[in-house]
Amino acid sequence: MNAPAETRKFEAEVAQVLHLVTHSLYSHKEIFLRELISNASDACDKLRFESIANPALSAGDSELHIDVSWDETARTITVRDNGIGMSRDEVVANIGTIASSGTKRFLEAMSGEQKADARLIGQFGVGFYSAFVVADKVTVITRRADAPEGEGVKWESDGKGEYSLEQVDQPQRGTAVILHLKADEDEFLKGWQLKSLIRKYSDHVAFPIRTPVEKDGKPTDAFESTNAASALWTKPKSEISDEDYQSFYKSLGHDFNDALAWTHNRVEGSQSFTTLLYLPEQPPFDLMMGGRDERKGLKLYIKRVFIMDAAEELLPNYLRFVRGVVDADDLPLNVSREILQQNRQLDRIKGACVKRVLDLIEKLARDEPEKFATFYKAFGNTLKEGISEDANNRERIAKLLRFASTKGEGTAQNVSLDDYIGRMAVGQDAIWYITADSYAAAAGSPQLEAFKAKGIEVLLMSDRIDEWMIGSLSEYEGKKLKSVAKGDVPLDEADKQKQEEATKAAEPLLKKLKELLGDRVGEVKVSARLTDSPSCLALSDYEMAPHLARLLREAGQAMPESKPTLEINPAHALVKRVEAEADEAKARDLATLLLEQAEIAAGAQLPDPAAFVQRMNRVLLG
């Protein structure tokens, strides 16, 4: 007995996705075909994989394929596969509800005023819903390969909030998606247009995509293959054009842009495998928002059989932007994710993938500086994570990093550590840097003044990750990396003598300031860093920069309270005012402003901004 037809409402999130997709993708509406073919290809992959353990699943129809047909009279397009198919529960889970957190992230990303980008659709697993861009009704008829003919499922919806489910007789396994086209979508009822889109977006899908043979301008019952239907990575490089590589990347990465660069390699020997790895031109949408959780983008094949998306097993986190395929000859076909995580062969493949990607990035840096600049703008911060995460390749990654500099070109991050070393003065033994939460804050920091006066170059690090990264990069090419804000400034003998004399002369002033500021400071010192400004903060070698401590507090992390060291410039007029001021209340205001302006310049959070404003007003009014 067939179960009666029922009508259900979409989950709220599905309704939102439908609305976003149908209203925001109109300018890229042809991607519906790419996405439906991609889903059909996945279904064929799954059947091929499950048939290894259970050959009966594909018995009687072992030639896997995808058929795309059209009917001008009925105004329909049908995308049919003979893959794994779906049960009733799977239809509900895959179409009627949000099964993946990726789709929820898609919704979060698309909230607000942002318009949907066609690149996102496939990346977030919501490609099926793109059918409603061109169709006012979609019908899905499916039967799982291991289900009897009487347990087919018919799903149907107009995309407006509800869908119907019905059990039907279905002789063929697999899935057919039937699009009932909107009145103004006649262009997709032309065979040449559909074949053109298949070649444009899906030429390298590894299964034949067949379309009806046409006679007298009408489709017949005979089918012919329309795509190349070959695993591109298995071909010799000499037979693959740049256009072929780019076309494959776009279908693999659900991207409309070309890839920036790629590397294609075959390893033979005790372990044989092929890698085809791409650097995108723009960041995948989920790179920073949740992208570290469910990483996707690197497909693992074993002897041309798709096994799983194994980005987590084959690439470290800091290379999560890479897209591509790995095809191994020597892994067992019944491999599971758990087995992969303990497989030594996979460790070797992972090592090879990392090496190939770093080789590729180094080649861009060496031979194609414009492309490298594009790459670094998109992925430089992600690459920096590797300094902490990948000790084996730390030196290689450090060589690729670029920073702004006091001797650079404005805000441009184009100075390498090698560039810096090449410009170091005779006798200079450290690479000096400053971290801040913006370029302006780094470039304008009073802590740079003595270094500028001596002509010592300082790297300006203003990305949020820099202070964390530099904790793992204490040395490069035998040179220590030192912060201009931490520890002691390098002084020659003459400077040391001047410093000692200035400190001795300022002892009464230092004592007065410490008494006025009390517990707000740990120490007050005469600065060797300052030439123009009245004051700055100085940190110990292992103390966290104030701007990073502020960010971590804002993120809800408990941070230990530390008392800063205040450094002063006794020659500055404002410091002299404190020294000369007899009124204790006025002197305390001036002293506190010296501390607070030093805290602001260092990116620290003032404990009481309102009191700071009142204090500033009192001093201005005199």
Side-chain angles (χ1 to χ4, degrees), residues 311-344:
E312 290 189 34
E313 288 76 20
L314 291 168
L315 283 174
N317 253 322
Y318 72 94
L319 295 179
R320 60 186 176 275
F321 47 80
V322 172
R323 298 291 178 260
V325 297
V326 171
D327 194 342
D329 291 351
D330 309 312
L331 292 171
L333 277 169
N334 63 347
V335 71
S336 69
R337 199 170 288 279
E338 290 69 34
I339 292 171
L340 277 182
Q341 288 166 350
Q342 300 161 10
N343 189 289
R344 284 188 181 175

PDB file of all heavy atoms in Angstrom, residues 311-344:
ATOM      1  N   ALA A 311      39.498  17.753   2.771  1.00  0.00           N
ATOM      2  CA  ALA A 311      40.338  18.929   2.991  1.00  0.00           C
ATOM      3  C   ALA A 311      40.987  18.892   4.375  1.00  0.00           C
ATOM      4  O   ALA A 311      42.154  19.248   4.541  1.00  0.00           O
ATOM      5  CB  ALA A 311      39.511  20.201   2.825  1.00  0.00           C
ATOM      6  N   GLU A 312      40.228  18.437   5.375  1.00  0.00           N
ATOM      7  CA  GLU A 312      40.765  18.430   6.743  1.00  0.00           C
ATOM      8  C   GLU A 312      41.903  17.426   6.893  1.00  0.00           C
ATOM      9  O   GLU A 312      42.825  17.637   7.675  1.00  0.00           O
ATOM     10  CB  GLU A 312      39.654  18.120   7.747  1.00  0.00           C
ATOM     11  CG  GLU A 312      38.652  19.264   7.875  1.00  0.00           C
ATOM     12  CD  GLU A 312      37.684  19.037   9.024  1.00  0.00           C
ATOM     13  OE1 GLU A 312      38.098  18.456  10.034  1.00  0.00           O
ATOM     14  OE2 GLU A 312      36.527  19.457   8.908  1.00  0.00           O
ATOM     15  N   GLU A 313      41.826  16.324   6.153  1.00  0.00           N
ATOM     16  CA  GLU A 313      42.853  15.291   6.273  1.00  0.00           C
ATOM     17  C   GLU A 313      44.075  15.579   5.394  1.00  0.00           C
ATOM     18  O   GLU A 313      45.162  15.091   5.666  1.00  0.00           O
ATOM     19  CB  GLU A 313      42.276  13.920   5.884  1.00  0.00           C
ATOM     20  CG  GLU A 313      41.310  13.340   6.891  1.00  0.00           C
ATOM     21  CD  GLU A 313      39.929  13.990   6.866  1.00  0.00           C
ATOM     22  OE1 GLU A 313      39.575  14.629   5.837  1.00  0.00           O
ATOM     23  OE2 GLU A 313      39.207  13.876   7.863  1.00  0.00           O
ATOM     24  N   LEU A 314      43.887  16.360   4.327  1.00  0.00           N
ATOM     25  CA  LEU A 314      44.951  16.530   3.331  1.00  0.00           C
ATOM     26  C   LEU A 314      45.615  17.895   3.341  1.00  0.00           C
ATOM     27  O   LEU A 314      46.637  18.093   2.690  1.00  0.00           O
ATOM     28  CB  LEU A 314      44.392  16.258   1.924  1.00  0.00           C
ATOM     29  CG  LEU A 314      44.026  14.797   1.645  1.00  0.00           C
ATOM     30  CD1 LEU A 314      43.228  14.685   0.361  1.00  0.00           C
ATOM     31  CD2 LEU A 314      45.277  13.946   1.559  1.00  0.00           C
ATOM     32  N   LEU A 315      45.019  18.862   4.041  1.00  0.00           N
ATOM     33  CA  LEU A 315      45.604  20.202   4.085  1.00  0.00           C
ATOM     34  C   LEU A 315      45.544  20.747   5.505  1.00  0.00           C
ATOM     35  O   LEU A 315      44.540  20.563   6.198  1.00  0.00           O
ATOM     36  CB  LEU A 315      44.839  21.166   3.170  1.00  0.00           C
ATOM     37  CG  LEU A 315      45.092  21.074   1.663  1.00  0.00           C
ATOM     38  CD1 LEU A 315      44.137  22.001   0.936  1.00  0.00           C
ATOM     39  CD2 LEU A 315      46.535  21.424   1.307  1.00  0.00           C
ATOM     40  N   PRO A 316      46.588  21.456   5.942  1.00  0.00           N
ATOM     41  CA  PRO A 316      46.498  22.115   7.249  1.00  0.00           C
ATOM     42  C   PRO A 316      45.539  23.297   7.183  1.00  0.00           C
ATOM     43  O   PRO A 316      45.213  23.796   6.095  1.00  0.00           O
ATOM     44  CB  PRO A 316      47.940  22.585   7.498  1.00  0.00           C
ATOM     45  CG  PRO A 316      48.545  22.699   6.135  1.00  0.00           C
ATOM     46  CD  PRO A 316      47.875  21.664   5.281  1.00  0.00           C
ATOM     47  N   ASN A 317      45.096  23.752   8.342  1.00  0.00           N
ATOM     48  CA  ASN A 317      44.127  24.847   8.426  1.00  0.00           C
ATOM     49  C   ASN A 317      44.539  26.082   7.656  1.00  0.00           C
ATOM     50  O   ASN A 317      43.723  26.736   7.020  1.00  0.00           O
ATOM     51  CB  ASN A 317      43.941  25.236   9.901  1.00  0.00           C
ATOM     52  CG  ASN A 317      42.603  24.777  10.427  1.00  0.00           C
ATOM     53  OD1 ASN A 317      41.606  24.821   9.720  1.00  0.00           O
ATOM     54  ND2 ASN A 317      42.585  24.323  11.660  1.00  0.00           N
ATOM     55  N   TYR A 318      45.822  26.417   7.719  1.00  0.00           N
ATOM     56  CA  TYR A 318      46.245  27.692   7.136  1.00  0.00           C
ATOM     57  C   TYR A 318      46.244  27.670   5.605  1.00  0.00           C
ATOM     58  O   TYR A 318      46.423  28.702   4.972  1.00  0.00           O
ATOM     59  CB  TYR A 318      47.619  28.105   7.684  1.00  0.00           C
ATOM     60  CG  TYR A 318      48.793  27.291   7.186  1.00  0.00           C
ATOM     61  CD1 TYR A 318      49.550  27.697   6.085  1.00  0.00           C
ATOM     62  CD2 TYR A 318      49.187  26.124   7.833  1.00  0.00           C
ATOM     63  CE1 TYR A 318      50.633  26.962   5.635  1.00  0.00           C
ATOM     64  CE2 TYR A 318      50.270  25.380   7.403  1.00  0.00           C
ATOM     65  CZ  TYR A 318      50.988  25.802   6.305  1.00  0.00           C
ATOM     66  OH  TYR A 318      52.068  25.076   5.863  1.00  0.00           O
ATOM     67  N   LEU A 319      46.038  26.501   4.996  1.00  0.00           N
ATOM     68  CA  LEU A 319      45.906  26.402   3.534  1.00  0.00           C
ATOM     69  C   LEU A 319      44.473  26.044   3.141  1.00  0.00           C
ATOM     70  O   LEU A 319      44.235  25.458   2.091  1.00  0.00           O
ATOM     71  CB  LEU A 319      46.888  25.361   2.983  1.00  0.00           C
ATOM     72  CG  LEU A 319      48.377  25.686   3.151  1.00  0.00           C
ATOM     73  CD1 LEU A 319      49.239  24.562   2.574  1.00  0.00           C
ATOM     74  CD2 LEU A 319      48.743  27.018   2.504  1.00  0.00           C
ATOM     75  N   ARG A 320      43.508  26.405   3.984  1.00  0.00           N
ATOM     76  CA  ARG A 320      42.118  25.988   3.746  1.00  0.00           C
ATOM     77  C   ARG A 320      41.480  26.661   2.534  1.00  0.00           C
ATOM     78  O   ARG A 320      40.374  26.300   2.135  1.00  0.00           O
ATOM     79  CB  ARG A 320      41.267  26.242   4.988  1.00  0.00           C
ATOM     80  CG  ARG A 320      41.192  27.680   5.450  1.00  0.00           C
ATOM     81  CD  ARG A 320      40.430  27.764   6.778  1.00  0.00           C
ATOM     82  NE  ARG A 320      40.394  29.106   7.340  1.00  0.00           N
ATOM     83  CZ  ARG A 320      41.337  29.635   8.090  1.00  0.00           C
ATOM     84  NH1 ARG A 320      42.423  28.928   8.376  1.00  0.00           N
ATOM     85  NH2 ARG A 320      41.228  30.869   8.562  1.00  0.00           N
ATOM     86  N   PHE A 321      42.145  27.622   1.939  1.00  0.00           N
ATOM     87  CA  PHE A 321      41.609  28.288   0.741  1.00  0.00           C
ATOM     88  C   PHE A 321      41.893  27.489  -0.527  1.00  0.00           C
ATOM     89  O   PHE A 321      41.333  27.775  -1.587  1.00  0.00           O
ATOM     90  CB  PHE A 321      42.209  29.691   0.598  1.00  0.00           C
ATOM     91  CG  PHE A 321      43.699  29.743   0.764  1.00  0.00           C
ATOM     92  CD1 PHE A 321      44.551  29.395  -0.277  1.00  0.00           C
ATOM     93  CD2 PHE A 321      44.268  30.123   1.978  1.00  0.00           C
ATOM     94  CE1 PHE A 321      45.922  29.424  -0.120  1.00  0.00           C
ATOM     95  CE2 PHE A 321      45.646  30.162   2.144  1.00  0.00           C
ATOM     96  CZ  PHE A 321      46.481  29.811   1.088  1.00  0.00           C
ATOM     97  N   VAL A 322      42.752  26.475  -0.468  1.00  0.00           N
ATOM     98  CA  VAL A 322      43.126  25.710  -1.662  1.00  0.00           C
ATOM     99  C   VAL A 322      41.957  24.841  -2.113  1.00  0.00           C
ATOM    100  O   VAL A 322      41.229  24.266  -1.304  1.00  0.00           O
ATOM    101  CB  VAL A 322      44.372  24.843  -1.366  1.00  0.00           C
ATOM    102  CG1 VAL A 322      44.671  23.893  -2.524  1.00  0.00           C
ATOM    103  CG2 VAL A 322      45.572  25.733  -1.062  1.00  0.00           C
ATOM    104  N   ARG A 323      41.776  24.750  -3.426  1.00  0.00           N
ATOM    105  CA  ARG A 323      40.756  23.873  -4.013  1.00  0.00           C
ATOM    106  C   ARG A 323      41.447  22.855  -4.918  1.00  0.00           C
ATOM    107  O   ARG A 323      42.514  23.138  -5.451  1.00  0.00           O
ATOM    108  CB  ARG A 323      39.742  24.691  -4.835  1.00  0.00           C
ATOM    109  CG  ARG A 323      38.951  25.716  -4.004  1.00  0.00           C
ATOM    110  CD  ARG A 323      38.005  24.997  -3.064  1.00  0.00           C
ATOM    111  NE  ARG A 323      37.233  25.876  -2.199  1.00  0.00           N
ATOM    112  CZ  ARG A 323      37.511  26.128  -0.939  1.00  0.00           C
ATOM    113  NH1 ARG A 323      38.580  25.581  -0.370  1.00  0.00           N
ATOM    114  NH2 ARG A 323      36.745  26.904  -0.203  1.00  0.00           N
ATOM    115  N   GLY A 324      40.854  21.686  -5.083  1.00  0.00           N
ATOM    116  CA  GLY A 324      41.472  20.731  -5.988  1.00  0.00           C
ATOM    117  C   GLY A 324      41.064  19.301  -5.750  1.00  0.00           C
ATOM    118  O   GLY A 324      40.090  19.021  -5.042  1.00  0.00           O
ATOM    119  N   VAL A 325      41.830  18.394  -6.377  1.00  0.00           N
ATOM    120  CA  VAL A 325      41.570  16.954  -6.234  1.00  0.00           C
ATOM    121  C   VAL A 325      42.889  16.229  -5.955  1.00  0.00           C
ATOM    122  O   VAL A 325      43.954  16.646  -6.398  1.00  0.00           O
ATOM    123  CB  VAL A 325      40.917  16.327  -7.496  1.00  0.00           C
ATOM    124  CG1 VAL A 325      39.562  16.935  -7.764  1.00  0.00           C
ATOM    125  CG2 VAL A 325      41.813  16.484  -8.712  1.00  0.00           C
ATOM    126  N   VAL A 326      42.771  15.149  -5.193  1.00  0.00           N
ATOM    127  CA  VAL A 326      43.882  14.213  -4.979  1.00  0.00           C
ATOM    128  C   VAL A 326      43.351  12.832  -5.356  1.00  0.00           C
ATOM    129  O   VAL A 326      42.289  12.421  -4.880  1.00  0.00           O
ATOM    130  CB  VAL A 326      44.350  14.222  -3.508  1.00  0.00           C
ATOM    131  CG1 VAL A 326      45.345  13.095  -3.270  1.00  0.00           C
ATOM    132  CG2 VAL A 326      44.971  15.568  -3.144  1.00  0.00           C
ATOM    133  N   ASP A 327      44.077  12.137  -6.231  1.00  0.00           N
ATOM    134  CA  ASP A 327      43.659  10.793  -6.670  1.00  0.00           C
ATOM    135  C   ASP A 327      44.782   9.819  -6.306  1.00  0.00           C
ATOM    136  O   ASP A 327      45.881   9.887  -6.845  1.00  0.00           O
ATOM    137  CB  ASP A 327      43.410  10.795  -8.180  1.00  0.00           C
ATOM    138  CG  ASP A 327      42.659   9.542  -8.628  1.00  0.00           C
ATOM    139  OD1 ASP A 327      42.636   8.553  -7.865  1.00  0.00           O
ATOM    140  OD2 ASP A 327      42.093   9.550  -9.737  1.00  0.00           O
ATOM    141  N   ALA A 328      44.497   8.940  -5.327  1.00  0.00           N
ATOM    142  CA  ALA A 328      45.517   8.009  -4.833  1.00  0.00           C
ATOM    143  C   ALA A 328      45.268   6.616  -5.407  1.00  0.00           C
ATOM    144  O   ALA A 328      44.128   6.172  -5.517  1.00  0.00           O
ATOM    145  CB  ALA A 328      45.483   7.966  -3.309  1.00  0.00           C
ATOM    146  N   ASP A 329      46.349   5.926  -5.765  1.00  0.00           N
ATOM    147  CA  ASP A 329      46.223   4.580  -6.328  1.00  0.00           C
ATOM    148  C   ASP A 329      46.276   3.502  -5.261  1.00  0.00           C
ATOM    149  O   ASP A 329      45.837   2.378  -5.488  1.00  0.00           O
ATOM    150  CB  ASP A 329      47.360   4.314  -7.325  1.00  0.00           C
ATOM    151  CG  ASP A 329      47.220   5.161  -8.577  1.00  0.00           C
ATOM    152  OD1 ASP A 329      46.167   5.815  -8.726  1.00  0.00           O
ATOM    153  OD2 ASP A 329      48.162   5.178  -9.392  1.00  0.00           O
ATOM    154  N   ASP A 330      46.835   3.826  -4.080  1.00  0.00           N
ATOM    155  CA  ASP A 330      47.225   2.769  -3.144  1.00  0.00           C
ATOM    156  C   ASP A 330      46.406   2.702  -1.868  1.00  0.00           C
ATOM    157  O   ASP A 330      46.716   1.904  -0.986  1.00  0.00           O
ATOM    158  CB  ASP A 330      48.703   2.942  -2.767  1.00  0.00           C
ATOM    159  CG  ASP A 330      49.580   3.078  -4.002  1.00  0.00           C
ATOM    160  OD1 ASP A 330      49.416   2.245  -4.909  1.00  0.00           O
ATOM    161  OD2 ASP A 330      50.387   4.014  -4.058  1.00  0.00           O
ATOM    162  N   LEU A 331      45.399   3.528  -1.718  1.00  0.00           N
ATOM    163  CA  LEU A 331      44.574   3.468  -0.511  1.00  0.00           C
ATOM    164  C   LEU A 331      43.427   2.484  -0.727  1.00  0.00           C
ATOM    165  O   LEU A 331      42.939   2.327  -1.854  1.00  0.00           O
ATOM    166  CB  LEU A 331      43.998   4.848  -0.178  1.00  0.00           C
ATOM    167  CG  LEU A 331      45.001   5.920   0.276  1.00  0.00           C
ATOM    168  CD1 LEU A 331      44.324   7.281   0.352  1.00  0.00           C
ATOM    169  CD2 LEU A 331      45.604   5.563   1.617  1.00  0.00           C
ATOM    170  N   PRO A 332      42.950   1.820   0.323  1.00  0.00           N
ATOM    171  CA  PRO A 332      41.813   0.893   0.161  1.00  0.00           C
ATOM    172  C   PRO A 332      40.530   1.652  -0.153  1.00  0.00           C
ATOM    173  O   PRO A 332      40.274   2.715   0.413  1.00  0.00           O
ATOM    174  CB  PRO A 332      41.731   0.194   1.524  1.00  0.00           C
ATOM    175  CG  PRO A 332      42.396   1.139   2.483  1.00  0.00           C
ATOM    176  CD  PRO A 332      43.450   1.857   1.710  1.00  0.00           C
ATOM    177  N   LEU A 333      39.720   1.111  -1.046  1.00  0.00           N
ATOM    178  CA  LEU A 333      38.493   1.809  -1.465  1.00  0.00           C
ATOM    179  C   LEU A 333      37.475   1.930  -0.344  1.00  0.00           C
ATOM    180  O   LEU A 333      36.622   2.815  -0.366  1.00  0.00           O
ATOM    181  CB  LEU A 333      37.856   1.069  -2.652  1.00  0.00           C
ATOM    182  CG  LEU A 333      38.449   1.428  -4.025  1.00  0.00           C
ATOM    183  CD1 LEU A 333      37.937   0.450  -5.069  1.00  0.00           C
ATOM    184  CD2 LEU A 333      38.113   2.842  -4.432  1.00  0.00           C
ATOM    185  N   ASN A 334      37.541   1.052   0.644  1.00  0.00           N
ATOM    186  CA  ASN A 334      36.557   1.119   1.733  1.00  0.00           C
ATOM    187  C   ASN A 334      37.057   1.998   2.877  1.00  0.00           C
ATOM    188  O   ASN A 334      36.654   1.848   4.018  1.00  0.00           O
ATOM    189  CB  ASN A 334      36.238  -0.294   2.253  1.00  0.00           C
ATOM    190  CG  ASN A 334      37.473  -0.964   2.851  1.00  0.00           C
ATOM    191  OD1 ASN A 334      38.589  -0.492   2.662  1.00  0.00           O
ATOM    192  ND2 ASN A 334      37.252  -2.061   3.566  1.00  0.00           N
ATOM    193  N   VAL A 335      37.962   2.911   2.572  1.00  0.00           N
ATOM    194  CA  VAL A 335      38.565   3.749   3.607  1.00  0.00           C
ATOM    195  C   VAL A 335      37.499   4.651   4.250  1.00  0.00           C
ATOM    196  O   VAL A 335      36.570   5.103   3.598  1.00  0.00           O
ATOM    197  CB  VAL A 335      39.709   4.602   2.997  1.00  0.00           C
ATOM    198  CG1 VAL A 335      39.162   5.694   2.098  1.00  0.00           C
ATOM    199  CG2 VAL A 335      40.578   5.199   4.078  1.00  0.00           C
ATOM    200  N   SER A 336      37.627   4.850   5.553  1.00  0.00           N
ATOM    201  CA  SER A 336      36.712   5.744   6.272  1.00  0.00           C
ATOM    202  C   SER A 336      37.496   6.955   6.756  1.00  0.00           C
ATOM    203  O   SER A 336      38.728   6.973   6.741  1.00  0.00           O
ATOM    204  CB  SER A 336      36.115   5.031   7.487  1.00  0.00           C
ATOM    205  OG  SER A 336      37.129   4.824   8.460  1.00  0.00           O
ATOM    206  N   ARG A 337      36.774   7.972   7.206  1.00  0.00           N
ATOM    207  CA  ARG A 337      37.442   9.186   7.703  1.00  0.00           C
ATOM    208  C   ARG A 337      38.339   8.842   8.902  1.00  0.00           C
ATOM    209  O   ARG A 337      39.425   9.376   9.051  1.00  0.00           O
ATOM    210  CB  ARG A 337      36.394  10.232   8.088  1.00  0.00           C
ATOM    211  CG  ARG A 337      36.973  11.632   8.171  1.00  0.00           C
ATOM    212  CD  ARG A 337      35.886  12.681   8.322  1.00  0.00           C
ATOM    213  NE  ARG A 337      35.106  12.907   7.128  1.00  0.00           N
ATOM    214  CZ  ARG A 337      35.494  13.668   6.113  1.00  0.00           C
ATOM    215  NH1 ARG A 337      36.675  14.248   6.130  1.00  0.00           N
ATOM    216  NH2 ARG A 337      34.718  13.838   5.077  1.00  0.00           N
ATOM    217  N   GLU A 338      37.854   7.915   9.747  1.00  0.00           N
ATOM    218  CA  GLU A 338      38.640   7.525  10.928  1.00  0.00           C
ATOM    219  C   GLU A 338      39.947   6.841  10.501  1.00  0.00           C
ATOM    220  O   GLU A 338      41.010   7.093  11.066  1.00  0.00           O
ATOM    221  CB  GLU A 338      37.832   6.579  11.827  1.00  0.00           C
ATOM    222  CG  GLU A 338      36.663   7.238  12.540  1.00  0.00           C
ATOM    223  CD  GLU A 338      35.538   7.630  11.575  1.00  0.00           C
ATOM    224  OE1 GLU A 338      35.305   6.909  10.588  1.00  0.00           O
ATOM    225  OE2 GLU A 338      34.923   8.692  11.809  1.00  0.00           O
ATOM    226  N   ILE A 339      39.843   5.953   9.500  1.00  0.00           N
ATOM    227  CA  ILE A 339      41.047   5.272   9.004  1.00  0.00           C
ATOM    228  C   ILE A 339      42.007   6.295   8.391  1.00  0.00           C
ATOM    229  O   ILE A 339      43.215   6.237   8.593  1.00  0.00           O
ATOM    230  CB  ILE A 339      40.669   4.183   7.974  1.00  0.00           C
ATOM    231  CG1 ILE A 339      39.917   3.033   8.670  1.00  0.00           C
ATOM    232  CG2 ILE A 339      41.899   3.666   7.245  1.00  0.00           C
ATOM    233  CD1 ILE A 339      39.314   2.029   7.716  1.00  0.00           C
ATOM    234  N   LEU A 340      41.451   7.253   7.648  1.00  0.00           N
ATOM    235  CA  LEU A 340      42.291   8.266   7.011  1.00  0.00           C
ATOM    236  C   LEU A 340      43.142   9.012   8.031  1.00  0.00           C
ATOM    237  O   LEU A 340      44.304   9.329   7.786  1.00  0.00           O
ATOM    238  CB  LEU A 340      41.420   9.293   6.270  1.00  0.00           C
ATOM    239  CG  LEU A 340      40.940   8.928   4.866  1.00  0.00           C
ATOM    240  CD1 LEU A 340      40.140  10.068   4.291  1.00  0.00           C
ATOM    241  CD2 LEU A 340      42.105   8.594   3.949  1.00  0.00           C
ATOM    242  N   GLN A 341      42.531   9.312   9.177  1.00  0.00           N
ATOM    243  CA  GLN A 341      43.231  10.112  10.174  1.00  0.00           C
ATOM    244  C   GLN A 341      44.433   9.376  10.764  1.00  0.00           C
ATOM    245  O   GLN A 341      45.292   9.993  11.384  1.00  0.00           O
ATOM    246  CB  GLN A 341      42.248  10.530  11.278  1.00  0.00           C
ATOM    247  CG  GLN A 341      41.257  11.591  10.796  1.00  0.00           C
ATOM    248  CD  GLN A 341      40.076  11.770  11.733  1.00  0.00           C
ATOM    249  OE1 GLN A 341      39.885  10.988  12.653  1.00  0.00           O
ATOM    250  NE2 GLN A 341      39.279  12.791  11.493  1.00  0.00           N
ATOM    251  N   GLN A 342      44.501   8.054  10.572  1.00  0.00           N
ATOM    252  CA  GLN A 342      45.616   7.284  11.139  1.00  0.00           C
ATOM    253  C   GLN A 342      46.460   6.636  10.044  1.00  0.00           C
ATOM    254  O   GLN A 342      47.237   5.734  10.306  1.00  0.00           O
ATOM    255  CB  GLN A 342      45.057   6.189  12.063  1.00  0.00           C
ATOM    256  CG  GLN A 342      44.249   6.759  13.219  1.00  0.00           C
ATOM    257  CD  GLN A 342      43.332   5.718  13.847  1.00  0.00           C
ATOM    258  OE1 GLN A 342      43.436   4.551  13.543  1.00  0.00           O
ATOM    259  NE2 GLN A 342      42.449   6.146  14.717  1.00  0.00           N
ATOM    260  N   ASN A 343      46.338   7.119   8.817  1.00  0.00           N
ATOM    261  CA  ASN A 343      46.973   6.445   7.694  1.00  0.00           C
ATOM    262  C   ASN A 343      48.300   7.118   7.339  1.00  0.00           C
ATOM    263  O   ASN A 343      48.338   8.302   7.034  1.00  0.00           O
ATOM    264  CB  ASN A 343      46.015   6.474   6.488  1.00  0.00           C
ATOM    265  CG  ASN A 343      46.517   5.607   5.351  1.00  0.00           C
ATOM    266  OD1 ASN A 343      47.487   5.949   4.701  1.00  0.00           O
ATOM    267  ND2 ASN A 343      45.856   4.481   5.128  1.00  0.00           N
ATOM    268  N   ARG A 344      49.376   6.358   7.384  1.00  0.00           N
ATOM    269  CA  ARG A 344      50.699   6.940   7.113  1.00  0.00           C
ATOM    270  C   ARG A 344      50.839   7.369   5.662  1.00  0.00           C
ATOM    271  O   ARG A 344      51.517   8.346   5.357  1.00  0.00           O
ATOM    272  CB  ARG A 344      51.789   5.926   7.450  1.00  0.00           C
ATOM    273  CG  ARG A 344      52.025   5.779   8.940  1.00  0.00           C
ATOM    274  CD  ARG A 344      53.240   4.922   9.200  1.00  0.00           C
ATOM    275  NE  ARG A 344      53.473   4.753  10.616  1.00  0.00           N
ATOM    276  CZ  ARG A 344      54.419   3.963  11.108  1.00  0.00           C
ATOM    277  NH1 ARG A 344      55.197   3.282  10.290  1.00  0.00           N
ATOM    278  NH2 ARG A 344      54.592   3.857  12.423  1.00  0.00           N
TER     279      ARG A 344
END
